[in-house]
Amino acid sequence: METFWFCVIALLWLGYLFLEGFDFGVGMLLPVLGRSERERRVLINTIGPVWDGNEVWLLVAGGATFAAFPDWYASLFSSVYLPLVLFLLALIGRGVAFEYRGKVDSARWRRTWDAVIVAGSWVAPLGVGLLLATTVFGMPLDAAGDRVGSPFASVRWETLLGAAAVAGYALVHGAVFLSLKTEGEVRERARALALKVAPFALLPLVVLLLTVQLRFGSVWTWAASIVVGLAAFGAYARLVLRREGQAFALMGVAVAATVAALFGALYPNVLPSTLDPAWSLTVAGAASSPYTLTVMTWVAAFGTPAVLVYQGWTYWVFRKRIGTRHIPDVHVPTGSSR
Amino acid sequence: MDVLDLARWQFGITTVYHFLMVPLTIGLSLLVAVMQTAWVRTGNRKYLAMTKFWGKLLLINFAMGVVTGIVQEFQFGMTWSAYSRFVGDVFGAPLAMEGLVAFFVESTFLGLWIFGWDRLPKKVHLACVWAFSLATIASAYFILAANSWMQHPVGVELVDGRPRLTSIWAVLGNNTTLAAFPHTIFGAFAVAGTFLVGIAAWHLWRRGDDGPVWRASVKLGTWVGVAAFTGLAISGDVQGKLMFEQQPMKMAAAEALCHTEQPAAFSVFAIGDVSRPDCENVKSVTVPALLSFLAHNDFTTEVKGIEDLVPMYQEKYGTNYPVDPKLGELSGKPIDYVPNLPVTYWGFRLMIGFGGLAVGAGLLILWLTRGGRTPGGRWFKWLALGSIATPFLANSFGWIFTEMGRQPFVVVPNPSGVDGVWMFTARAVSSSTPGEVLTSLIALTLVYGVLACVEVFLIRRYVRAGVAGVLPARAPDDDTGKRDDTEKRDDDVLSFAY
C-alpha cells in the first residue's frame, strides 16, 4: 500500500512536469518567440485555457504527499524553506500575470507583466528541479527529520543540476508544444528554436540521470534512463520531420522515464539523510496508516479518471492551432471614464 | 521575535488575505451562474451584460485567490512541520481530497468557461460555470472539514503519541464542520450580495446607460444578502452553542466573561481594556440573560467564566510547558490558557456588527431605489461604496476570532473525544531559523500588498467602465441568444483571448 502511494506521488509529479512543463516553457520563450505584441498574445493563448488546471497537479502532489507521507511532506518542505518561498513567489507572479497582463491597454503595463511571466517561468521550474533533486539526493537530516545546517543546505551542485535539468526540459518541451499549437511564423520559429537548443538544454538532464545512476542506480533505472535518451532522440528526429504531435508525445515519454528513473533510484527512501542512512525517511516509515491510505486510494480511484477525462476534453476543445489572425483586438476599459 | 511569533504572523496575514478572495469567488461564481442561466433561458441582453460584467470581476478576483491558496497548502509543511507530522494521518486527507475532487474541477472548468464563449454549445458552456461554482463550494467543504478537525478532533485514536484516523466519515461529518460550513457559505453569499448591491448602486447613482442591468443587480444582491444574513444568524447561533460545549474558553473569551455567571448577560460593547485583570468593569451595555440563552437555549443556565475554566484546563493539560529546547523561550513556562481577550472580544463583536451593517445598507439601498428611483446625493455614493467593505470585514474578524480564540492550542482538545489528541501551537512550528521565516514573512507581505493594490486598481477600472468595458457596443437587440451553436469557423478570431 505504501509502495502504491509512492507510485501515485511519482505519477502526480509526472503529470505536473509534463503539463506545467510546457506552460513554463511557453512563458520562458515569450520574449524570444513573440516578436510583436500580437505574437506574444498568440503564445500566451496557447496555454490560456489550461495552465491553471496544469498547476493543480502540483497542489494535488503536495496534498497527496501530506496525506500519504506526512513526514516526507513536513521534512522536505521545512528543509527547503527559502528556495520554496522563491518558487511560490514565482508561481504567484506568473499566475496573476497571465490574468492581468491584457486587462490594461498600455505598453508599459504589458511589459511589466511580461517580465513577471518570464521571470516566474524560469524560477518555478528551477525550483521544481531543486526540490526533486533534493528529494533524490537527500538532505542533512537529524533523527527527528529536521534539517541540520544552513538554510541553503539544499543548494548543492547535484540539486542545481536538477534545477537546470527541469528548466532545460521545460524550455524544449515548451518549444515543441508551441510548434504543435501555433501556425505561421511563430510555429516555424518555435520549431527551429527547439531543434537548435535541445542538445544543450537537455544536457543537464542527461548528466543528472548519469549522476543518479552512478550513485543509486539499479538495472531498471538504467533501463529507464536509456528510454529517456531514446525518447529525447526520437522527439528530435520527429521534429526534424515536422511531426510535432509525435515529438510532443515522445517528450512525454522522456519525462515519464525520467520520473521513473528518479523515483526508482529513490525507493525505498522518500528523503535520504546525508548524515546517517539510519535517519533517512523511508516509504514505510514516513507513510500514513493503512486506513488513511485506503481512504485515499478510494478517492484517487474515482477522482483520477474523472480528472483525466475532463482535462483531456479541455485539450480537445482547444485543440486548434492558433496564429496571429485568430487574436482579437484589445478590448479593455479605458481609464478616463468618469 | 522567535519562529513561533513569526510563523503565526505569517499564517495570519496569508490566511486573512487569502480569505478576502475566497468568499467573493464562492458567492459571485454562483450568482454569475444564475445570471448566465437567466440569459440562456430568456435571451435578454441585460442578463448577458450582467454575466460578462460580474464574470470579469470574478476572474480578476479568482486569479488572486488561486495563487494565495498555493501558499496556504505549502505553508503547513514549511512553517508548521511539527504540526504536519503530528496530524498528517488525518489532516492531509481532506486537503488532498480538495485538490483531487474540487480544485481540479474549478480550474479546468473555469478555463473552459473563460475561453469557451462561442466555442462550446451554449448549454455546455453554461454547465461549465455551474461546475466551477459548485466545485468552489465543495472546496470550501473539504477545507472546513480540515479546519474543524483542528477545532474539534474526531474520528481518530491515539497510537504511539499520534492521532491515527479511524473513520473518515467522522471527520467529514464532524458536527463542527456541519455547523461551520453553512456559516461560511452564507458569509460568502453575504459578501457577493453586498458586492453586487454596492457596485450596482454606485452605477445607478452615476446614471449611465445601463440602468436595467444595475437595478437587476441591486435586487438580486439585496435578496441574496438578506437571505445570507438570516442564514448567518441561524448558523452562527448553532455554531455558538456547539462552541460553548466544545471550546468553552473561546466563548468565555468572546464575551470577556471573567466570572461564572448565572444567568449570564451578553455584552454588546465595552469601553476600556477588556483584557485581564479587570475585564468585568468595562462592559458598558449588556443584555441580561442573553448569553445563557445563546449558550444553552435557556435564559437561566450558568455560563462558565475564565477564572473557573483556567483551573479545569490546567488540571487536564498541565500548568507548565514541558522543558524542551524546541519550545524556545516558552520551555518550562506556565501555560496561558486565556486567548488574547481584546482580539477575541472585539473580533466577535466586529464580526456581528459589520455583518449587520452590510445587510442594513443593502436593505436601505433597495428601499431608496424602489420603483425606479435613484437618490442623487453624494452620501448615496459613499453608502454604496462603503457597504462593499463591511462583509469582508465581518468575515475577516470572524476568522480572526475563531483562530485566535483557540490559542494556545493549534489542535483543540475534544472534551468528549480521545484523550491526548491535542497540540499546543508552540509545539507545532518547524525548526526553521527566525531569519528564514522573517524573510518569507516580509517577502510574502510585500508581494501581497503590491498585488492588493493591483487588484483594487483593476477592479476599480472595470467597475468604472461598467458594461461598456466588457461588451463591445452593438445594436440593442443583437446577440439575443439566436446565434446557432455550431463551432466557429477555422479562420474566425477567438471570441475570447488573453
Side-chain angles (χ1 to χ4, degrees), chain A residues 4 12 18 33 40 57 71-72 89 102 116 118 121 130 178 191 194 205 209 228 243-244 248 304 319 333:
Chain A
F4 171 73
L12 290 168
F18 177 64
L33 296 178
R40 284 189 287 277
W57 285 83
D71 289 347
W72 181 9
L89 290 173
V116 174
V118 174
S121 300
L130 186 97
L178 284 172
R191 181 174 158 274
L205 182 66
L209 286 170
V228 176
R243 306 303 294 261
E244 289 106 345
F248 185 67
T304 319
R319 66 191 176 278

Side-chain angles (χ1 to χ4, degrees), chain A residues 41 45 55-56 59 73 75 77 81 99-100 145-147 288-289 291-292 310-311 314 325-326 331 333 337, chain B residues 60 70 73 77 79 85 89 103-105 107-108 167-168 326 431 436 440 464-465 468 490 492-494 498:
Chain A
R41 289 181 68 199
N45 281 292
E55 198 152 292
V56 179
L59 287 169
Y73 170 82
S75 291
F77 282 24
Y81 194 97
E99 191 60 45
Y100 290 173
D146 288 326
R147 185 193 67 215
S288 289
S289 68
Y291 176 77
T292 300
Y310 61 67
Q311 283 209 339
T314 308
R325 67 200 171 105
H326 298 114
H331 174 71
S337 95
Chain B
I60 294 171
I70 305 176
E73 195 200 77
T79 39
R85 287 190 191 107
D89 202 64
F103 198 49
F104 261 132
V105 178
S107 310
T108 311
S167 164
I168 187 69
K326 281 199 172 169
S431 55
E436 280 175 284
S440 66
R464 277 169 164 269
D490 187 48
D492 264 348
V493 292
L494 299 166
Y498 275 147

Side-chain angles (χ1 to χ4, degrees), chain A residues 12 41 44-45 47-64 66-68 70-71 73-75 77-82 84-85 87-89 91-96 98-105 109 113 131 142 144-147 149 151 183 287-292 295-296 299-301 303-304 307 310-311 313-314 317-322 325-328 331-338, chain B residues 10 56 59-64 66-71 73-79 81 83-85 87-93 95-97 99-101 103-105 107-112 114-116 119-120 124 128 162 164-169 205-206 326 381 430-433 436-437 439-440 443-444 447-448 451 454-455 457-458 461-462 464-465 468-472 487-494 496-498:
Chain A
L12 290 168
R41 289 181 68 199
I44 291 171
N45 281 292
I47 56 169
V50 296
W51 72 266
D52 195 7
N54 294 346
E55 198 152 292
V56 179
W57 285 83
L58 171 76
L59 287 169
V60 175
F66 195 171
D71 289 347
Y73 170 82
S75 291
F77 282 24
S78 62
S79 302
V80 195
Y81 194 97
L82 287 180
L84 263 182
V85 172
F87 167 63
L88 291 177
L89 290 173
L91 288 185
I92 291 173
R94 208 178 158 262
V96 291
F98 286 133
E99 191 60 45
Y100 290 173
R101 114 178 249 289
K103 296 243 177 324
V104 175
D105 189 15
W109 173 269
W113 288 115
L131 193 68
D142 63 17
D146 288 326
R147 185 193 67 215
E183 56 171 40
S288 289
S289 68
Y291 176 77
T292 300
V295 168
M296 293 303 301
V299 175
T304 319
V307 171
Y310 61 67
Q311 283 209 339
W313 181 58
T314 308
V317 169
F318 301 109
R319 66 191 176 278
K320 282 186 185 144
R321 288 178 185 272
I322 52 176
R325 67 200 171 105
H326 298 114
I327 297 297
H331 174 71
V332 294
T334 52
S336 59
S337 95
R338 173 58 240 241
Chain B
Q10 178 171 307
K56 189 68 85 176
L59 296 183
I60 294 171
N61 177 68
F62 181 75
M64 195 73 74
V66 169
V67 294
T68 52
I70 305 176
V71 176
E73 195 200 77
F74 277 60
Q75 198 166 192
F76 291 110
M78 291 166 73
T79 39
S81 63
Y83 168 79
S84 303
R85 287 190 191 107
V87 302
D89 202 64
V90 43
F91 189 82
L95 284 192
M97 287 181 193
L100 200 60
V101 179
F103 198 49
F104 261 132
V105 178
S107 310
T108 311
F109 283 92
L110 185 69
L112 281 159
I114 302 175
F115 289 84
R119 179 155 297 260
L120 291 167
V124 176
C128 289
R162 277 196 204 190
R164 187 190 271 182
L165 188 63
T166 54
S167 164
I168 187 69
W169 301 113
W205 173 80
R206 281 214 313 181
K326 281 199 172 169
K381 167 187 167 183
S430 300
S431 55
S432 316
T433 60
E436 280 175 284
V437 188
T439 307
S440 66
L444 287 169
V447 168
Y448 281 18
L451 292 180
V454 173
E455 185 178 344
F457 165 77
L458 279 178
R461 211 176 156 85
Y462 273 89
R464 277 169 164 269
V470 291
L471 280 181
E487 272 196 20
K488 303 204 76 181
R489 291 204 328 277
D490 187 48
D491 54 349
D492 264 348
V493 292
L494 299 166
F496 181 90
Y498 275 147

Side-chain angles (χ1 to χ4, degrees), chain B residues 147-148 150-152 174-181 183-184 235-254 291 294-296 303-304 309 313 348 351 398-399 401-403 405-406 412-415:
Chain B
N147 180 272
S148 297
M150 301 164 80
Q151 312 276 354
H152 184 234
N174 193 345
N175 54 9
T176 318
T177 314
L178 300 180
F181 175 64
H183 197 63
T184 311
S235 60
D237 183 52
V238 172
Q239 210 185 356
K241 284 185 174 47
L242 209 54
M243 211 64 72
F244 273 106
E245 210 176 282
Q246 297 174 351
Q247 298 181 39
M249 183 61 96
K250 181 191 276 185
M251 295 315 283
L291 188 61
L294 289 179
H296 304 294
V303 178
K304 285 234 182 293
L309 287 168
Y313 279 88
F348 194 61
M351 168 182 77
W399 272 112
F401 160 67
T402 212
E403 301 300 288
R406 71 175 142 97
V412 185
N414 175 352

Side-chain angles (χ1 to χ4, degrees), chain B residues 219-460:
Chain B
K219 213 178 260 178
L220 177 64
T222 310
W223 290 121
V224 166
V226 168
F229 195 77
T230 313
L232 277 170
I234 297 168
S235 60
D237 183 52
V238 172
Q239 210 185 356
K241 284 185 174 47
L242 209 54
M243 211 64 72
F244 273 106
E245 210 176 282
Q246 297 174 351
Q247 298 181 39
M249 183 61 96
K250 181 191 276 185
M251 295 315 283
E255 284 298 312
L257 184 71
C258 288
H259 311 296
T260 299
E261 288 183 20
Q262 184 186 14
F266 178 82
S267 163
V268 179
F269 69 93
I271 296 173
D273 183 11
V274 292
S275 55
R276 290 162 299 158
D278 56 350
C279 64
E280 65 266 34
N281 297 326
V282 295
K283 288 176 207 161
S284 303
V285 179
T286 55
V287 183
L290 181 60
L291 188 61
S292 290
F293 182 78
L294 289 179
H296 304 294
N297 259 345
D298 179 339
F299 287 104
T300 56
T301 46
E302 173 190 273
V303 178
K304 285 234 182 293
I306 290 165
E307 61 176 20
D308 289 321
L309 287 168
V310 167
M312 287 167 54
Y313 279 88
Q314 284 176 336
E315 191 190 334
K316 269 188 150 165
Y317 313 110
T319 53
N320 290 66
Y321 284 109
V323 179
D324 182 344
K326 281 199 172 169
L327 287 172
E329 53 195 45
L330 285 175
S331 168
K333 290 273 169 57
I335 303 165
D336 186 359
Y337 285 104
V338 185
N340 185 320
L341 286 183
V343 170
T344 46
Y345 179 87
W346 287 112
F348 194 61
R349 261 136 214 88
L350 291 169
M351 168 182 77
I352 297 172
F354 279 117
L357 279 180
V359 73
L363 283 172
L364 185 62
I365 289 170
L366 185 67
W367 187 73
L368 289 169
T369 56
R370 72 195 183 281
R373 266 166 265 221
T374 310
R378 277 189 82 79
W379 58 272
F380 185 76
K381 167 187 167 183
W382 292 114
L383 172 69
L385 294 179
S387 69
I388 298 170
T390 50
F392 285 101
L393 290 166
N395 270 328
S396 299
F397 284 117
W399 272 112
I400 289 169
F401 160 67
T402 212
E403 301 300 288
M404 291 288 285
R406 71 175 142 97
Q407 302 305 324
F409 295 104
V410 62
V411 179
V412 185
N414 175 352
S416 57
V418 195
D419 283 338
V421 181
W422 46 271
M423 188 182 214
F424 289 121
T425 308
R427 294 221 82 143
V429 287
S430 300
S431 55
S432 316
T433 60
E436 280 175 284
V437 188
L438 186 64
T439 307
S440 66
L441 174 63
I442 294 172
L444 287 169
T445 308
L446 280 179
V447 168
Y448 281 18
V450 170
L451 292 180
C453 298
V454 173
E455 185 178 344
V456 170
F457 165 77
L458 279 178
I459 287 190
R460 185 167 162 269

Side-chain angles (χ1 to χ4, degrees), chain A residues 179-198:
Chain A
S179 66
L180 173 67
K181 272 297 289 183
T182 58
E183 56 171 40
E185 246 184 89
V186 180
R187 176 185 174 185
E188 290 309 317
R189 245 181 264 148
R191 181 174 158 274
L193 184 111
L195 292 173
K196 201 161 72 186
V197 301

